[in-house]
């Protein structure tokens, strides 16, 4: 029986294990003996799936990890299979986003319409509206930073106002170093196809995918006529998804080993030279456990991939080892409200540097999902640290709580007494994606291709937020894709 070891226990690892183990069973639920296969997930975390994501205290639900799920087609299929889709809470698609400018929040609409918002000065708007007439980038320009891209296409004013919220709001990264090609392939692809970002976003793509994140290959095109994606959560929080997924994986016969911190991976092993181990790989953990597998699916961070699998990846290991992550502190707060009119409205607020705040932004969970929030209560999530101020993530808990409360009250003066406050810290929360990252992914693809030459079945697949996108929906999509193709 072929054994696949999945390295990591996050949402893409569990999604792969779920669809792969489900495919190995016949319609009546019994094992499909035509292609026997064993799946084992090696999770480095000691706790159950989703632990640390959602905080449930009394009748309050707060999110310390991912805050919402943007429902991609793959996410919708997974929720249907798990019986969760009807349980989902759907955020109002009209919920406003806000960006602070000159000390106060200004409404901002995503897409080309955002060029007319109050976030930009009149002069910046005029320059940004000229974007369709800006010459197409030269063929020699293989990548550039988010700030440089926005400045070239939309002008210096738009870059100052929008680059940082765009980079920090999704990646907690520095817009001066964050790759637009790999982090925002839709923008890069729009200019490539239409010679203008605005025209490219307004004209539907015909075949092919964005050219950035996965190297030269890009992504498969979206099927036509898909329903508009929803932004969702669940009554008991977003941890509902990994909890249900882990339970389903176990029911289907896949095995999950927890607290597995790997120290080395040996292989591919030669059966003639290693008669004791008919498997291709031998994996050793910190506590002395040994696992054997015929193939590996890695969902680990880039540095762990370089450390454990670098011997198999001679072209890309150096670049993978150099990749880093942003450290983030998350402050969860609940406040009493004197009147309903004092409640924070909309999706949330992004805050550029230079506006007198240290928070990267606030998310208004009680506005997005009011049905799970007690009446007269506001629930907010503040994000601090990131690439622009990494030391802030190391501040004391008291300092983080004080800063987050002070800045939340400046933005929302009508907040009443704070009734709950908690902190969470994520050491490797989000991967930093430098300019030129596509070249790293191309080298990785070459390494993996070389490893599979002259072999009937693949030995290795690699995914992760640093390779295939940080959003939860993207992680689910990649897990499903690998389950069907590996």
């Amino acid at each position: 029986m072929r054994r696949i070891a999945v390295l990591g226990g996050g949402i893409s690892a569990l999604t792969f294990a779920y669809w792969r183990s489900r495919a190995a069973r016949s319609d009546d639920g019994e094992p499909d003996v035509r292609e026997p296969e064993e799946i084992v997930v090696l999770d480095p975390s000691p706790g159950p799936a989703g632990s640390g994501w959602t905080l449930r205290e009394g009748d309050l639900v707060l999110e310390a990890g991912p805050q919402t799920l943007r429902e991609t087609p793959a996410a919708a299929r997974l929720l249907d299979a798990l019986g969760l889709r009807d349980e989902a809470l759907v955020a109002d698609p009209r919920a406003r986003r806000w960006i602070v400018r000159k000390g106060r929040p200004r409404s901002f609409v995503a897409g080309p319409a955002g060029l007319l918002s109050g976030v930009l000065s009149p002069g910046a708007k005029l320059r940004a509206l000229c974007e369709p007439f800006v010459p197409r980038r030269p063929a020699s320009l293989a990548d550039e930073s988010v700030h440089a891209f926005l400045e070239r296409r939309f002008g210096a004013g738009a870059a100052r106002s929008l680059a940082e919220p765009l980079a920090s709001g999704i990646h907690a990264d520095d817009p001066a170093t964050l790759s637009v090609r790999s982090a925002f392939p839709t923008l890069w692809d729009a200019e490539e196809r239409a010679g203008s970002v605005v025209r490219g976003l307004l004209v539907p793509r015909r075949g092919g995918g964005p050219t950035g994140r996965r190297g030269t290959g890009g992504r498969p095109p979206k099927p036509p006529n898909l329903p508009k994606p929803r932004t969702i959560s669940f009554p008991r929080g977003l941890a509902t998804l990994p909890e249900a997924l882990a339970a389903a994986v176990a029911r289907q016969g896949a095995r999950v080993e927890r607290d597995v911190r790997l120290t080395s991976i040996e292989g591919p092993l030669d059966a003639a030279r290693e008669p004791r181990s008919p498997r291709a790989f031998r994996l050793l953990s910190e506590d002395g456990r040994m696992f054997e597998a015929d193939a590996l699916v890695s969902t680990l961070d880039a540095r762990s991939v370089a450390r454990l699998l670098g011997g198999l990846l001679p072209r890309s290991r150096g670049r993978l080892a150099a990749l880093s992550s942003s450290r983030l502190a998350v402050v969860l707060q609940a406040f009493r409200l004197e009147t309903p009119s004092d409640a924070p409205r909309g999706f949330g607020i992004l805050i550029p540097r230079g506006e007198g705040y240290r928070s990267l932004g606030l998310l208004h969970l009680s506005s997005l999902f009011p049905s799970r929030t007690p009446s007269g209560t506001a629930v907010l999530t503040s994000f601090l640290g990131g690439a622009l101020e990494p030391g802030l993530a190391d501040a004391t808990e008291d300092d983080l709580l004080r800063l987050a409360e002070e800045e939340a009250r400046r933005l929302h003066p009508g907040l009443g007494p704070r009734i709950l406050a908690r902190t969470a810290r994520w050491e490797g929360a989000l991967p930093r994606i430098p300019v030129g990252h596509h070249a790293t992914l191309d080298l990785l693809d070459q390494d993996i291709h070389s490893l599979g030459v002259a072999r009937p079945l693949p030995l290795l697949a690699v995914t992760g937020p640093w390779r295939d996108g940080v959003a939860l929906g993207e992680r689910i999509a990649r897990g499903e894709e690998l389950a069907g193709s590996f």
Side-chain angles (χ1 to χ4, degrees), residues 73 88 92 130 154 168 177 271 325:
D92 185 350
C130 294
F154 297 96
S168 64
T177 62
S325 299

Side-chain angles (χ1 to χ4, degrees), residues 300-326:
L300 301 173
D301 64 273
R303 287 184 173 179
S304 294
V305 171
R307 175 175 61 85
L308 294 169
L309 297 168
L312 306 178
L313 309 172
R315 301 172 183 87
S316 59
R317 65 187 172 200
R319 296 179 71 123
L320 293 175
L323 294 177
S324 61
S325 299
S326 293

